Amino acid sequence: MENIENIEEVNTEEKENTEEVNLEEEIDLTETLKQEIEKLEEQVKTLKNDYAKAYADTENMRKRLNADFELSKKYRIQSFAIDILPVIDNLERALEQEVSDVDYKKGIEMIYQQLMNSLVKEGVSKMDALDKPFDANFHQAIMSEKVDGVESGIVIQVFQNGYMLKDRILRAAMVKVSE
């Protein structure tokens, strides 16, 4: 019976040792799991940050593309308008000429007006420079002349009209300025 009691004591000790080992394993496992959770939480933070950056980059690109599209749409006629300005200059020169055929001149005037109306609809406008103060942003001074009764820096003659497309200068006006 003593053997049985000894065996029971040994079994009880083994159980206690096993329980201690199991408890230590559980503690180690808990620590390992806590460390793994911390690593995963750090990864989640990093991924959220990366996502926020990617989202912000995408939004910025979308806004930039929309702005580029709007500018492109706003100024889509710019290259055509620049190409057509010499035609307008020639029509204006033709209209300044004295001709005996009134119908011919009226036809040129109609073509000129239709062309100008079409350009105005697209936002192209002629700059009014004559008798205005000289502004290097809008005018290109080709000559200067002393004129009595006119103060210095006033445009006294326009050689070639300047044009704007909405808020952009297509071509500066070539002018003569008073000294």
Side-chain angles (χ1 to χ4, degrees):
M1 183 114 173
E2 250 180 62
N3 281 341
I4 293 177
E5 286 180 8
N6 285 339
I7 292 174
E8 285 180 6
E9 281 180 28
V10 169
N11 282 343
T12 305
E13 284 178 21
E14 283 180 13
K15 282 183 182 177
E16 286 176 2
N17 287 340
T18 306
E19 286 177 6
E20 285 178 18
V21 168
N22 285 342
L23 185 59
E24 287 176 11
E25 287 177 359
E26 278 186 34
I27 290 174
D28 289 343
L29 182 62
T30 303
E31 287 300 316
T32 305
L33 289 175
K34 283 181 181 178
Q35 290 173 357
E36 187 68 27
I37 288 171
E38 287 175 7
K39 286 180 190 175
L40 291 173
E41 285 175 344
E42 195 62 37
Q43 282 181 343
V44 166
K45 281 183 189 177
T46 302
L47 291 173
K48 280 183 178 180
N49 189 29
D50 290 348
Y51 170 77
K53 286 178 183 177
Y55 183 79
D57 287 345
T58 303
E59 282 299 305
N60 288 339
M61 184 182 295
R62 184 186 61 78
K63 289 176 184 176
R64 190 170 41 254
L65 288 174
N66 280 342
D68 290 348
F69 175 74
E70 290 300 320
L71 275 176
S72 173
K73 187 174 146 184
K74 184 177 180 181
Y75 299 113
R76 72 185 184 284
I77 194 170
Q78 181 171 342
S79 63
F80 172 75
I82 289 171
D83 290 343
I84 203 77
L85 290 181
V87 175
I88 293 171
D89 293 337
N90 288 332
L91 285 171
E92 288 173 345
R93 283 187 206 101
L95 289 171
E96 290 173 2
Q97 299 301 314
E98 292 296 322
V99 290
S100 58
D101 190 352
V102 177
D103 291 334
Y104 178 76
K105 187 168 185 168
K106 185 175 181 176
I108 298 292
E109 285 175 4
M110 290 172 60
I111 292 169
Y112 174 76
Q113 285 303 319
Q114 285 178 332
L115 184 57
M116 290 305 293
N117 288 339
S118 296
L119 288 174
V120 167
K121 284 180 188 175
E122 293 296 328
V124 176
S125 60
K126 186 188 299 190
M127 289 190 277
D128 186 26
L130 191 60
D131 299 327
K132 304 280 186 211
F134 175 78
D135 184 345
N137 296 316
F138 300 101
H139 309 126
Q140 181 179 358
I142 295 177
M143 298 172 65
S144 64
E145 182 179 315
K146 178 81 172 149
V147 178
D148 293 330
V150 178
E151 66 182 75
S152 179
I154 300 294
V155 175
I156 55 175
Q157 185 177 357
V158 177
F159 297 111
Q160 187 179 51
N161 287 313
Y163 290 89
M164 293 191 69
L165 173 59
K166 296 178 175 137
D167 56 352
R168 279 190 185 170
I169 297 173
L170 288 176
R171 181 177 75 188
M174 286 195 248
V175 297
K176 181 193 289 186
V177 182
S178 65
E179 292 181 341

